[in-house]
Amino acid sequence: MSEANKMKYKKRYERNGCTKEQLRRLVELGALTAAEYAEITGESY
């Protein structure tokens, strides 16, 4: 995933525009990596 997309999801998460469940689904779909999920949420996948 590109850095721009990762930052987009990080900003959405920070302003409560998406949930951890939605981010987990993105990991399952391959749109985010587990490492990116951890960076965004501060929790391991």
Side-chain angles (χ1 to χ4, degrees), residues 11-35:
K11 288 178 184 178
R12 280 186 188 177
Y13 177 74
E14 289 172 349
R15 67 173 198 263
N16 297 319
C18 66
T19 65
K20 289 180 185 176
E21 287 81 27
Q22 290 169 322
L23 293 174
R24 283 188 197 114
R25 182 71 177 140
L26 289 170
V27 173
E28 291 171 8
L29 294 171
L32 284 175
T33 65

Side-chain angles (χ1 to χ4, degrees), residues 1 3 7-8 10 12 19-20 32 35-36 38 40 42:
M1 169 173 263
E3 186 70 24
M7 293 307 297
K8 174 179 75 172
K10 182 173 177 68
R12 280 186 188 177
T19 65
K20 289 180 185 176
L32 284 175
E36 290 169 332
I40 293 169

